[in-house]
């Protein structure tokens, strides 16, 4: 009945969640509503790469000044 009280309850629950998960959920919601689609696609792609062994290999190869051998995972 009280939108402000409801928003405060939701905010209190979200405050205890993972900041990264909250950020991704917010971006997914915006993308689902047709807003920020390009930004969402870029964010998901970047997150997938950042969590991969390919990223680790790429960074290590750059640091070691060698050609990377990407595992594809």
């Amino acid at each position: 009945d009280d939108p402000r009280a409801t928003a405060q309850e939701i905010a209190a629950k979200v405050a205890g969640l993972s900041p990264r998960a909250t950020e991704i959920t917010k971006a997914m919601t915006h993308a689902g509503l047709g807003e920020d689609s390009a930004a969402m696609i870029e964010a998901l792609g970047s997150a997938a790469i950042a969590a991969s062994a390919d990223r680790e290999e790429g960074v290590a190869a750059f640091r070691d000044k060698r050609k990377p051998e990407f595992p594809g995972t």
Side-chain angles (χ1 to χ4, degrees), residues 25-37 40:
T25 301
K26 180 181 172 186
M28 290 171 57
T29 301
H30 284 283
L33 296 172
E35 302 171 11
D36 302 327
S37 296
M40 181 61 194

Side-chain angles (χ1 to χ4, degrees), residues 8-50:
Q8 289 174 333
E9 289 175 23
I10 294 170
K13 289 178 184 177
V14 170
L17 301 175
S18 159
R20 185 69 177 142
T22 301
E23 178 183 351
I24 290 171
T25 301
K26 180 181 172 186
M28 290 171 57
T29 301
H30 284 283
L33 296 172
E35 302 171 11
D36 302 327
S37 296
M40 181 61 194
I41 292 168
E42 182 180 353
L44 287 174
S46 296
I49 292 168

